[in-house]
Every structure is written in C-alpha cells, then in structure tokens.
Amino acid sequence: MKAIVFADVVDAWSYIGAVRFERAAALYTILTGEPVEIAYRAAAFEASPDAEDVAAAARITGIELNLDEVVPADSTDAWRVLTWAAESGSDVQRELLHQLWRAHLLEGTDVADGFVLASRAALVGLDLETTDALLASDEFRAEVDDQRATAAAIGATSSPFVVVEARYTLAGVHSQDDYLRALQSIATQH
C-alpha cells in the first residue's frame, strides 16, 4: 500500500498527524504483513492552530513541543532539501522531516536557515557540501511549487492531508486507531 502525506515543516498539526499516521501504518504492517510506503510532499495550510489544542494533541501523541520558542519561517528551502532527500529513500526523507519538525517546533530553530538545513541533512547521512550546493541554487524549487499546487488542486486544506493508493484521502489529524481502521478499510476495498 502506498501513501503520500501532504504536510508542512512549520505546521504542528502536520507533525502530530504524520506521527499518528506513521504509527498506524507500522501497526497495520505488523498485523497484516503488508508494508505501507509513505512519501511526504509539501503543502501550505492557511489555518493557524490554537496553541492549547496543539499542545494537548502533542501530549496525547507523546510529542514534545515548545511553541513559545517557534521562529516563524518559510519552509520552501526545507522542502527543497526534503525533495532531494527522497532520492536517497523514503526513510531518509522521513528522518530529515522529523529532524526539521523537532528543530522548528521544539528547539526554536530557524528552519529557513541554510546552515540549519545542511547540518540536519548531515545528521541523517546526506552530504553536507551537496546540501549547501543545492541550497545555493534553485534546484528542486519547481518541484516544491508543483507539490504545493497539487495539494491545493486536490483540496488539501486540513493538515496533514493523506492520500492512500492515489484514491482515498484522510484530511486533518485523526487518532492512531482511526488511521489504522482507515488503512484496514482501504485494504478491503482495494
């Protein structure tokens, strides 16, 4: 089974929902033996989350956040690096995305800063010099724009927005159990 998660590096709901979906997908794989391949794509979401709701959802999910320290940032360069990271495998992309979420939503780090992006990419095994060169160029900018345009075109207004088997959509944050039930239901229909 294949899933695409449209999310944003600077969006707490994307982080919470993606973690819940990843856990549900892992549980689905344990229960069925069928892997769920997850890819991530850039999306831009309008709604700014209520800090209390986000903090409560993060606690339930077991995620630490420090929303008081968040540095407002444009996530375009982060998504350029993430799009490139996907070429090294979905696990590398996922690890980098989680690094960036923690940097932005817990550590109060500017995820639009080239040094931050390159150092986080290096932490997940990507080449530092190649990352610096990518950031100095316009490489992958068109791809990120296309990802955001696709998200808008398919109505991805609630974060995260999950598309399973290029056909079924799950909009917004759900519980891990709800995600698991959705995957089981999709598997029986597909």
Side-chain angles (χ1 to χ4, degrees), residues 70-86:
V70 167
V71 175
D74 178 345
S75 62
T76 301
D77 284 343
W79 276 107
R80 289 174 52 224
V81 176
L82 284 160
T83 302
W84 167 63

Side-chain angles (χ1 to χ4, degrees), residues 13 17 21 33 54-55 63 70 78 80 82 91 111 114 148 165 167:
W13 285 124
F21 182 76
V54 170
I63 296 172
V70 167
R80 289 174 52 224
L82 284 160
D91 287 348
V111 293
R148 288 178 171 153
E165 293 296 338
R167 189 168 154 192

